[in-house]
Amino acid sequence: MTQNTLSGSLAGLFGLDGKRALVTGGTSGIGLAIVEAFAAAGARVMTCSDRDTDVASFDVPNATAVLHRLADKAAAVELVSRSEAELGGPV
């Protein structure tokens, strides 16, 4: 996805400056497109994958990918806590 920047009144309506987001499965496909869109709009984004090759090749400005398997509720809670700690606030 091409990085687009919002300017003028669009940034006020659709910008995500100062926001944080957690997108699961964001290292490929639709999830990656969502990560790219959120990051391009100004959000700091964390995503995860259970495939180490996807995490190693992930390269989106303002976004971080971590190796994490969402196998159960405890794993999801752990990911949210980690995301909030790394992004500096609630996601």
Side-chain angles (χ1 to χ4, degrees):
M1 177 176 178
T2 304
Q3 290 289 327
N4 293 320
T5 55
L6 298 173
S7 61
S9 61
L10 283 179
L13 292 172
F14 300 108
L16 297 176
D17 288 335
K19 303 294 184 182
R20 293 168 293 277
L22 171 60
V23 179
T24 59
T27 58
S28 63
I30 293 170
L32 177 58
I34 293 168
V35 168
E36 290 173 331
F38 283 4
R44 295 179 57 217
V45 184
M46 177 166 280
T47 189
C48 68
S49 176
D50 60 359
R51 295 181 297 231
D52 57 353
T53 54
D54 286 354
V55 172
S57 64
F58 185 81
D59 184 26
V60 177
N62 292 331
T64 303
V66 296
L67 185 62
H68 193 88
R69 182 172 178 81
L70 291 171
D72 53 31
K73 182 178 178 179
V77 169
E78 179 184 332
L79 179 63
V80 170
S81 294
R82 180 177 181 180
S83 299
E84 291 178 340
E86 291 192 27
L87 297 176
V91 292

